[in-house]
């Protein structure tokens, strides 16, 4: 495809800190290459803001290759922008045309408070993981990876669920602000494998309890999460978690 | 770690919504079946016999209590969830492109449900038994639900409300039918596509049949 350069109008959410009310600021950026990533485009803007002696736009990023899940930007009304199964760092500027106006907002959720500008605090996800997203293993020599046979389709499904990078786009996309897709991926990746067996029942109950405690909304099966997830996590995981949770709750003695 | 009780958890409540939903879906099938006897055009004989059976059979009366409970639980739980969910995003997005990731009726279940609730109130008020016309057949008191239905649906305002409600119902079901099964954890490569197809067929044909019956009455195809 032809490379081109473009001038863009950006409307970016600026917020000094957690308690600041915040608001949009408009910027013009010029000569943006179609081959830049979205974050590189923001870098270009920030370089200029620094030279102008103003505060650069704060945003989370780390790997810039779609695996860490930190680049949370709500671009033109969609988490991670217009491309399917793509993180913001992998979104390229060829998704836009010369003269476009791009609105960039942070994830909006009560459980993901804004720290600064486009940076939100996703510690709620960490606490959900801490409540049950682990397995117990004996210490000592590492066991051979293939000593427990696992059916291919289960291994595939566990692997697909494990692709979740904890970015929070599912929460950001959901009109109910539900975290079910994330939690269900984390429950599924372990529930499907024999290694996850010992904690299987307590895990799902603890993680759902923590999810509710963190104040995420309730799922109504709208499906926006699955459509916007950069890793293509399937709604099948939510159904699995509902099963796991129902069985674990009804059969438990407490 | 403190565990939640099943029905105070978000998933437990969702499951209650889906179970009551499936119960209401089943009820609707019975209701449309009874209404369809109007199309027999037999002066309401079959329809009234059915209504009589419904009104006097003890099993049906017991089920009726369950039906009321089902309606109330479904409505109260979903409205509660709706208002709770609305507090979860205190600062709204300036720009949302929701049509790219979901269907409008999936996002509007509370609105569609509220329209249905308004219709339900009108409907019960219009057809509730103490307002029923009573006739005597062989010296025995009978309710003439048929005449009431015919009279009500010959009124154009009633007809428009009626059809409007069934359009809302159709969209409500289009989301609700497959959603109920997803909530129960029935997501399966082989069966989910079948459930989805069944859902579309049900959502189009059942409300459609209600409307066809209403139109047949309005345009005097049935006497
Ligand atoms: S499920 Fe998808 S959208 Fe949600 S946190 Fe995981 S990768 Fe991100
Ligand atoms: S920066 Fe790591 S996923 Fe985008």
């Amino acid at each position: 495809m032809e490379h081109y350069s473009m001038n863009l109008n950006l409307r970016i959410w600026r917020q000094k800190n957690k308690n600041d009310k915040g608001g949009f600021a408009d910027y013009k950026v010029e000569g943006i290459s179609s081959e830049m990533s979205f974050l590189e485009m923001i870098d270009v803007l920030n370089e200029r803001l620094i030279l102008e002696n103003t505060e650069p736009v704060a945003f989370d990023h780390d790997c810039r290759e779609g695996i860490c899940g930190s680049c949370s930007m709500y671009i033109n009304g969609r988490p991670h922008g217009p491309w399917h199964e793509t993180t913001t760092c992998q979104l390229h500027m060829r998704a836009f045309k010369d003269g476009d106006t791009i609105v960039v907002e942070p994830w909006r959720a009560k459980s993901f408070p804004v720290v600064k500008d486009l940076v939100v605090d996703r510690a709620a996800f960490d606490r959900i993981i801490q409540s049950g997203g682990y397995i117990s293993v004996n210490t000592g020599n590492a066991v051979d990876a293939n000593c427990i046979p696992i059916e291919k389709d289960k291994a595939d499904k566990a692997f697909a669920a494990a692709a979740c990078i904890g970015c929070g786009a599912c929460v950001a996309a959901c009109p109910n602000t539900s975290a079910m897709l994330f939690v269900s991926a984390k429950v599924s990746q372990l529930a499907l494998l024999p290694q996850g067996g010992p904690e299987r029942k307590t895990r799902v109950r603890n993680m759902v309890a923590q999810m509710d405690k963190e104040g995420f909304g309730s799922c109504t099966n709208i499906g926006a999460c699955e459509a916007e997830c950069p890793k293509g996590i399937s709604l099948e995981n939510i159904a699995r978690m509902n099963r796991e949770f129902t069985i674990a709750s009804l059969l438990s003695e407490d | 770690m403190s565990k939640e009780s099943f029905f105070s958890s978000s998933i437990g409540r969702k499951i209650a919504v889906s179970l009551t939903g499936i119960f209401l879906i089943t009820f609707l099938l019975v209701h449309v079946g009874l209404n369809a006897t109007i199309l027999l055009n037999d002066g309401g004989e079959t329809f009234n016999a059915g209504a009589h059976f419904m009104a006097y059979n003890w099993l049906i009366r017991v089920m009726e209590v369950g039906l009321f409970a089902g309606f109330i639980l479904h409505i109260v739980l979903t409205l509660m969830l709706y208002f709770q969910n609305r507090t979860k995003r205190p600062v709204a997005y300036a720009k949302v492109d929701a049509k790219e990731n979901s269907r409008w009726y999936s996002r509007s279940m509370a609105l569609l449900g509220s329209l249905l609730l308004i219709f339900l109130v009108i409907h019960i008020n219009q057809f509730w038994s103490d307002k029923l016309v009573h006739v005597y057949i062989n010296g025995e008191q009978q309710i003439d639900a048929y005449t009431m239905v015919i009279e009500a649906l010959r009124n154009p305002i009633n007809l428009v409300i009626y059809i409007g409600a069934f359009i809302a119902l159709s969209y409500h079901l289009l989301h609700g039918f497959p959603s109920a099964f997803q909530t129960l954890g029935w997501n399966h490569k082989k069966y989910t596509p079948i459930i989805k197809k069944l859902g579309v067929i049900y959502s189009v044909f059942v409300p459609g049949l209600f409307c066809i019956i209403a139109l047949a009455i309005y345009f005097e195809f049935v006497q």
Side-chain angles (χ1 to χ4, degrees):
Chain A
M1 211 169 78
E2 199 68 23
H3 296 187
Y4 57 98
S5 88
M6 65 195 108
N7 300 336
L8 297 165
N9 306 305
L10 303 175
R11 259 180 94 71
I12 301 182
W13 184 262
R14 304 299 312 259
Q15 183 173 336
K16 281 199 186 66
N17 54 48
K18 214 170 153 177
N19 303 318
D20 180 27
K21 227 176 122 262
F24 281 101
D26 291 310
Y27 304 96
K28 280 194 191 317
V29 282
E30 280 155 16
I32 297 297
S33 154
S34 57
E35 303 315 298
M36 277 181 190
S37 77
F38 200 86
L39 296 188
E40 284 165 341
M41 184 275 294
I42 302 276
D43 290 338
V44 169
L45 169 70
N46 275 346
E47 299 264 335
R48 194 186 85 204
L49 293 179
I50 291 166
L51 289 177
E52 288 169 357
N53 240 337
T54 45
E55 188 78 13
V57 178
F59 63 96
D60 267 328
H61 62 107
D62 184 19
C63 71
R64 297 206 177 201
E65 56 177 14
I67 55 170
C68 75
S70 44
C71 52
S72 51
M73 288 189 196
Y74 197 84
I75 301 161
N76 275 350
R78 298 177 66 189
H80 297 299
W83 281 356
H84 192 57
E85 291 192 19
T86 310
T87 54
T88 302
C89 57
Q90 291 178 305
L91 173 67
H92 280 70
M93 294 313 293
R94 54 182 176 271
F96 302 94
K97 296 188 308 292
D98 187 37
D100 276 358
T101 297
I102 308 174
V103 183
V104 191
E105 300 173 74
W107 287 175
R108 299 282 189 204
K110 197 176 172 187
S111 310
F112 287 164
V114 173
V115 176
K116 186 177 182 180
D117 297 340
L118 302 172
V119 178
V120 297
D121 179 2
R122 278 168 287 188
F125 270 13
D126 300 337
R127 289 187 291 270
I128 293 173
I129 295 291
Q130 281 159 14
S131 73
Y134 54 82
I135 58 164
S136 305
V137 287
N138 293 326
T139 52
N141 280 348
V143 196
D144 179 70
N146 295 318
C147 71
I148 307 172
I150 300 170
E151 298 109 293
K152 168 89 166 87
D153 76 309
K154 285 214 172 135
D156 286 349
K157 283 188 170 163
F159 189 81
C164 165
I165 53 176
C167 63
C170 41
V171 175
C174 177
N176 301 321
T177 330
S178 166
M180 288 284 278
L181 195 65
F182 164 76
V183 181
S184 71
K186 298 302 176 193
V187 165
S188 291
Q189 68 184 21
L190 299 176
L192 283 162
L193 299 178
Q195 288 88 341
E199 296 93 354
R200 188 165 170 180
K201 292 207 167 74
T202 48
R203 174 185 306 116
V204 65
R205 294 186 71 203
N206 287 343
M207 289 179 82
V208 170
Q210 189 64 33
M211 170 183 86
D212 288 346
K213 206 168 120 194
E214 296 291 348
F216 291 103
S218 299
C219 171
T220 59
N221 301 327
I222 291 173
C225 53
E226 183 188 51
E228 296 292 9
C229 171
K231 297 294 142 184
I233 302 295
S234 159
L235 288 181
E236 192 191 334
N237 292 297
I238 296 186
R240 181 179 300 104
M241 178 159 79
N242 290 347
R243 287 200 301 271
E244 294 276 326
F245 180 77
T246 307
I247 293 167
S249 301
L250 296 183
L251 297 186
S252 80
E253 292 181 335
D254 60 322
Chain B
M1 157 113 3
S2 68
K3 298 206 177 64
E4 292 179 294
S5 80
F6 183 66
F7 281 110
S8 63
S9 70
S10 56
I11 295 181
R13 290 203 193 129
K14 230 166 88 101
I15 284 174
V17 172
S18 91
L19 287 175
T20 48
I22 289 175
F23 180 53
L24 297 177
I25 286 173
T26 320
F27 157 72
L28 212 58
L29 217 48
V30 177
H31 194 331
V32 79
L34 183 59
N35 284 22
T37 63
I38 291 178
L39 293 177
L40 294 175
N41 210 354
D42 60 359
E45 211 176 302
T46 321
F47 183 75
N48 271 347
H52 182 265
F53 173 75
M54 293 289 210
Y56 291 107
N57 185 288
W58 67 269
L59 187 68
I60 302 281
R61 299 313 300 230
V62 172
M63 297 265 298
E64 210 170 65
V65 177
L67 183 64
F68 258 100
F71 264 115
I72 289 172
L73 204 63
H74 192 78
I75 293 163
V76 169
L77 278 174
T78 45
L79 283 179
M80 247 168 62
L81 285 179
Y82 173 72
F83 286 110
Q84 263 172 21
N85 281 344
R86 279 181 49 128
T87 64
K88 306 294 186 184
R89 181 165 286 139
V91 183
Y93 288 113
K95 186 169 177 184
V96 181
D97 197 1
K99 64 177 191 316
E100 291 295 331
N101 58 35
S102 51
R103 311 233 182 214
W104 72 266
Y105 50 83
S106 296
R107 299 190 302 269
S108 314
M109 287 300 274
L111 174 70
L112 292 168
S114 303
L115 290 177
L116 291 174
L117 179 56
I118 295 170
F119 173 72
L120 196 65
V121 172
I122 299 174
H123 189 60
I124 289 179
N125 189 36
Q126 215 162 29
F127 292 108
W128 196 237
S129 40
D130 62 83
K131 288 200 171 176
L132 284 175
V133 190
H134 291 266
V135 293
Y136 289 87
I137 296 173
N138 300 333
E140 205 189 314
Q141 194 184 27
Q142 294 267 343
I143 41 175
D144 188 11
Y146 183 73
T147 308
M148 271 186 66
V149 172
I150 301 286
E151 276 171 10
L153 287 173
R154 291 257 159 95
N155 174 334
I157 298 174
N158 283 346
L159 182 79
V160 169
I161 295 177
Y162 196 85
I163 291 186
F166 280 103
I167 293 173
L169 179 65
S170 180
Y171 281 111
H172 196 74
L173 286 168
L174 224 41
H175 174 84
F177 191 105
S179 175
F181 292 94
Q182 160 78 4
T183 293
L184 292 181
W186 295 17
N187 188 319
H188 190 277
K189 279 243 151 49
K190 252 193 337 234
Y191 303 118
T192 300
I194 301 175
I195 290 174
K196 284 196 173 152
K197 276 197 201 98
L198 267 180
V200 175
I201 293 172
Y202 188 99
S203 313
V204 173
F205 280 95
V206 173
L209 189 52
F210 274 109
C211 291
I212 288 171
I213 296 165
L215 290 169
I217 293 171
Y218 183 76
F219 290 108
E220 303 188 9
F221 290 122
V222 288
Q223 296 304 319

